[in-house]
Amino acid sequence: MTTQTQPPIISLRQVIHRYPHSGQNAALAGLTLDIGPGEFVAVAGANGSGKSTLARLLNGLLLPAAGEVLVDGASTARAENLDRIRETVGMVFQNPDSQIVAGSVGDDIAFGLENLGLPPDEIERRLRAAAERFGVGELLEKEPHWLSGGQKQRTVLAGVVAMAPRVLVLDEPTSMLDPRSQLEFHDLVRSLWHAGTTVVYVTHLMEEVAVAPRMLALADGALAFDGAPRDFFTRDDLLKKTGLVPPLAMRLSRALAAAGGPQEPALTLEELVERVCA
Amino acid sequence: MQLGNAAIGQYLPGSSLLHRADPRLKITTLAIFAVALFFVGGIAGLLVMGAGLLLALALARVPSRLIFRSSRPVLLLALITFCFQLFLHGGAQLGHLGPLTLYRDGARDGGFLALRLVLLVLSGITLSLTTPPVMLTDALGRLMAPLSQVRFPAYELALMMTIALRFIPALLAEADRIILAQAARGAGLGGGLTGRVRALLPVLIPLFILSFSNADELAQAMESRCYRGGRGRTQRRRLALGRVDALFALLALLLVGAGIVIGRKSGF
């Protein structure tokens, strides 16, 4: 569902992906979709539904067995495109501990910038700006093992964002964080989206899906739904097919409706409060 | 047990001359110092070099107990070396200790060898106490950079060292978790050597599997951040030699020179 009139920044055309030794079982089975520039797309699905595979296909870490992934018109299957594709699509993974390469926060944020071959002054300028933006400006000389989970994941995000990617793909980035850090991190990602970055956000947390303008729901490697979260969470057949549950606010609002309360379902806690207090 | 909080390396922050000197220069000086130890002809020369090293450590405000703690393993080795020479050297006798004979030349040669061993290790400790591990690997990478002309993977080697250092605390923390998980299910540390080795296996196997999984994820994270080896890569840190480095080099050379000259002239 590309709302913009501009051409999509990411296109998948009948993408099939199989992992070695998995026989004929496809992790992704013929996925076709477009993501427009500036979109925020949440990706949800049960374990093994193909979410992480999809994320890794978007910047050429995995290549499709069939079909095509295009990033800004360039196919990930062509090796000569990969440098440009990885500059365009930044990735944040689940576990910050296995993404931090360098021995200090500052050096880790600089890692990607050094790979881009930027001059030292530019590296320093960009890394300081990113570190300040994500609240790790005071920790530049700290060794990663002294950081909290939230600080580590913000360091990773700073390192990726410092490279100025146009698309940010996040694969369950908050699943190892405490609830407060989850909220802070999600807010940071939304601020990047508001600033114009295209965001593809893979998550298990339905509260994070609920506030996305668009969601993709995967089931057994196929696209089960592509649209607004409200339309998804109000359909029991889709919830059953994908093995997902609605966010807490919607479950509460359903319980209230069953008990004679407001009938219109609420997607977020704010909406629920509004309906109850109306 | 809190393995994950263990300090890695021995770096002690400070602002002394030793701390501020260029890490490349410090590594080069360490190499020269270590080689020079084998050109010093007498104990007096080694004593001069040792005194200089201890003075530098004192000026860098490194606590003496930390120096002692760091060099404790080598002190034992030095003592064994000294005893071997003292009791087994042969030649003029110095006296007796029970059934053992003490030899005069053994005492001199043993003292010389033991002191050289201690100084060799102490100079390395001085480097690691006054240089952050990150700077050390960075400097090593730069020093080896010319070798990349002959296809030696200098940058990759330095990066491997950085990653190894970076992952030691993470691995210790994982080991900590695994041990606790095993203990929660009734696993003990086992008695005797065989028991201990047997008890370690259930810790090491998951640790290995986890390390491979982490390595895989790390490789993906590096690739996604445009890593393609040293090709076209720039560096954040710009190292340039300055006055501090000139002063450091001068003092280090004077110390090494004094050690060699005094060692030769004193005849002791």
Side-chain angles (χ1 to χ4, degrees):
Chain A
M1 190 181 71
T2 308
T3 50
Q4 283 76 4
T5 50
Q6 292 163 275
I9 193 156
I10 288 176
S11 288
L12 276 76
R13 297 277 167 265
Q14 287 298 319
V15 169
I16 296 173
H17 184 79
R18 286 189 193 90
Y19 286 101
H21 314 299
S22 65
Q24 282 307 301
N25 295 334
L28 283 182
L31 216 58
T32 296
L33 59 95
D34 288 331
I35 295 172
E39 275 201 272
F40 189 116
V41 182
V43 183
N47 283 346
S49 60
K51 304 186 300 291
S52 294
T53 306
L54 171 62
R56 283 161 173 74
L57 280 161
L58 300 184
N59 81 344
L61 286 176
L62 293 178
L63 298 176
E68 197 172 30
V69 178
L70 299 169
V71 175
D72 204 15
S75 170
T76 58
R78 299 177 74 93
E80 64 269 26
N81 290 339
L82 282 180
D83 282 351
R84 186 158 68 89
I85 286 171
R86 286 175 183 154
E87 278 186 61
T88 308
V89 182
M91 274 209 73
V92 176
F93 298 87
Q94 186 179 31
N95 183 359
D97 269 323
S98 41
Q99 296 171 77
I100 297 180
V101 182
S104 73
V105 170
D107 284 353
D108 192 72
I109 298 174
F111 179 75
L113 301 171
E114 292 174 330
N115 290 336
L116 293 180
L118 297 176
D121 289 342
E122 179 66 6
I123 290 175
E124 207 59 36
R125 191 188 64 75
R126 284 211 208 177
L127 94 81
R128 284 188 187 278
E132 289 301 328
R133 183 174 188 178
F134 298 110
V136 290
E138 301 293 311
L139 307 170
L140 288 180
E141 298 308 319
K142 275 262 181 202
E143 292 172 26
H145 64 280
W146 297 115
L147 305 180
S148 69
Q151 288 169 333
K152 283 180 193 170
Q153 198 61 303
R154 279 185 277 132
T155 299
V156 171
L157 186 61
V160 174
V161 171
M163 296 170 74
R166 289 162 60 203
V167 182
L168 196 57
V169 178
L170 304 105
D171 186 7
E172 298 184 39
T174 56
S175 59
M176 296 181 84
L177 307 184
D178 59 58
R180 182 177 291 274
S181 303
Q182 282 180 348
L183 285 174
E184 285 172 2
F185 190 86
H186 191 250
D187 284 347
L188 283 171
V189 175
R190 286 184 71 83
S191 74
L192 288 167
W193 171 53
H194 288 304
T197 307
T198 307
V199 175
V200 180
Y201 197 98
V202 178
T203 182
H204 263 310
L205 298 174
M206 294 306 117
E207 280 67 26
E208 292 179 340
V209 176
V211 293
R214 177 186 174 191
M215 80 173 278
L216 308 174
L218 298 178
D220 298 323
L223 193 60
F225 178 82
D226 181 356
R230 189 180 303 278
D231 298 337
F232 176 80
F233 288 120
T234 48
R235 284 185 56 183
D236 289 336
D237 58 327
L238 287 174
L239 288 169
K240 194 176 173 192
K241 183 180 178 184
T242 54
L244 297 173
V245 291
L248 177 66
M250 183 159 273
R251 281 182 279 147
L252 278 174
S253 84
R254 279 183 175 187
L256 284 170
Q263 293 300 304
E264 204 182 338
L267 199 55
T268 63
L269 284 174
E270 290 75 18
E271 274 185 20
L272 182 64
V273 170
E274 211 173 273
R275 305 249 197 287
V276 170
C277 297
Chain B
M1 201 179 337
Q2 281 294 309
L3 297 173
N5 289 337
I8 300 307
Q10 309 180 65
Y11 176 61
L12 203 70
S15 57
S16 70
L17 181 65
L18 261 180
H19 283 92
R20 283 184 293 150
D22 188 303
R24 293 168 301 174
L25 187 63
K26 283 198 266 186
I27 293 173
T28 314
T29 308
L30 170 71
I32 295 171
F33 190 91
V35 172
L37 285 174
F38 291 88
F39 286 95
V40 174
I43 290 183
L46 290 182
L47 285 173
V48 169
M49 288 171 81
L53 208 52
L54 288 175
L55 180 68
L57 281 167
L59 290 173
R61 294 172 189 268
V62 178
S64 50
R65 62 183 160 76
L66 189 61
I67 301 170
F68 178 71
R69 205 174 60 196
S70 305
S71 50
R72 206 160 36 190
V74 79
L75 288 178
L76 182 68
L77 193 65
L79 185 68
I80 294 169
T81 309
F82 177 73
C83 289
F84 258 101
Q85 292 289 328
L86 184 64
F87 299 123
L88 303 172
H89 192 280
Q93 292 183 4
L94 201 63
H96 293 276
L97 189 71
L100 298 168
T101 308
L102 282 69
Y103 296 99
R104 185 197 302 269
D105 289 347
R108 191 197 61 212
D109 291 354
F112 180 75
L113 287 174
L115 191 56
R116 187 153 72 184
L117 191 62
V118 169
L119 287 183
L120 199 60
V121 174
L122 195 61
S123 56
I125 290 170
T126 306
L127 178 71
S128 65
L129 281 171
T130 57
T131 320
V134 177
M135 299 293 281
L136 271 182
T137 50
D138 185 41
L140 273 172
R142 287 167 196 260
L143 286 171
M144 290 187 298
L147 294 174
S148 55
Q149 299 295 324
V150 288
R151 296 187 174 217
F152 182 80
Y155 168 72
E156 283 75 9
L157 204 64
L159 187 66
M160 271 167 56
M161 287 189 285
T162 306
I163 292 174
L165 277 174
R166 146 88 188 89
F167 274 88
I168 290 170
L171 279 177
L172 289 174
E174 289 299 348
D176 211 14
R177 268 194 285 273
I178 294 167
I179 290 168
L180 285 176
Q182 309 274 10
R185 286 185 286 159
L189 275 177
L193 187 64
T194 328
R196 278 171 184 270
V197 170
R198 212 173 284 162
L200 266 181
L201 275 180
V203 176
L204 288 179
I205 292 168
L207 198 60
F208 268 114
I209 294 170
L210 207 71
S211 306
F212 283 120
S213 157
N214 279 345
D216 195 37
E217 264 191 54
L218 180 73
Q220 291 201 359
M222 287 167 68
E223 256 188 81
S224 72
R225 284 208 269 166
C226 299
Y227 176 72
R228 45 186 178 250
R231 178 166 54 93
R233 207 170 184 276
T234 48
Q235 282 182 302
R236 173 197 175 197
R237 292 179 207 281
R238 239 190 311 218
L239 292 180
L241 297 174
R243 279 186 196 168
V244 169
D245 303 303
L247 182 61
F248 174 80
L250 182 70
L251 291 174
L253 281 176
L254 277 175
L255 182 64
V256 168
I260 292 174
V261 171
I262 293 172
R264 289 237 167 116
K265 288 203 168 170
S266 70
F268 169 66

